[in-house]
Amino acid sequence: MSKERLSELLTELSAELHDAGDVDTETRELLAALHDDIDRLTGETHPTAVDKAKHLESRFAANHPVAERIAREFADLLAKMGI
């Protein structure tokens, strides 16, 4: 269930950013890197995935409140999974 929810949250976050349209290249690259980290999950610990999700959350705080909420939920879920 948790891995499926991670995938759902990444899809929601990607859609929100696509709709926003004013997201900078660095943020889009960070999201792509997070996608890659999650795709590689095999039960190993990936502390960088949590760090990337938290970084995205902080970048969205002022201008993208929905994306911020999704990134926060994503980071919390990763932490709970021990990833």
Side-chain angles (χ1 to χ4, degrees), residues 7 12 14 27 30 32-33 35 37 39 42-43 46 62-63 67 77-78:
S7 181
E12 285 181 47
S14 295
T27 299
L30 184 59
H35 270 281
D37 286 348
D39 287 344
T42 60
H46 293 278
N63 298 319
L77 186 56
L78 285 170

Side-chain angles (χ1 to χ4, degrees), residues 3 37-46 81-83:
K3 287 184 182 180
D37 286 348
I38 299 308
D39 287 344
R40 285 191 300 269
L41 281 176
T42 60
E44 301 172 19
T45 301
H46 293 278
M81 292 174 65
I83 296 172

Side-chain angles (χ1 to χ4, degrees), residues 15-82:
E16 179 65 27
L17 294 179
H18 179 41
D19 292 346
D22 64 344
V23 178
D24 61 273
T25 302
E26 182 181 351
T27 299
R28 290 187 188 280
E29 289 172 355
L30 184 59
L31 182 61
L34 184 57
H35 270 281
D36 291 343
D37 286 348
I38 299 308
D39 287 344
R40 285 191 300 269
L41 281 176
T42 60
E44 301 172 19
T45 301
H46 293 278
T48 58
V50 174
D51 293 339
K52 289 174 186 169
K54 288 184 178 186
H55 188 142
L56 281 169
E57 177 187 350
S58 67
R59 293 182 71 99
F60 300 146
N63 298 319
H64 304 287
V66 174
E68 177 193 17
R69 179 196 54 78
I70 296 167
R72 181 175 42 253
E73 185 178 345
F74 189 83
D76 289 347
L77 186 56
L78 285 170
K80 287 176 186 174
M81 292 174 65

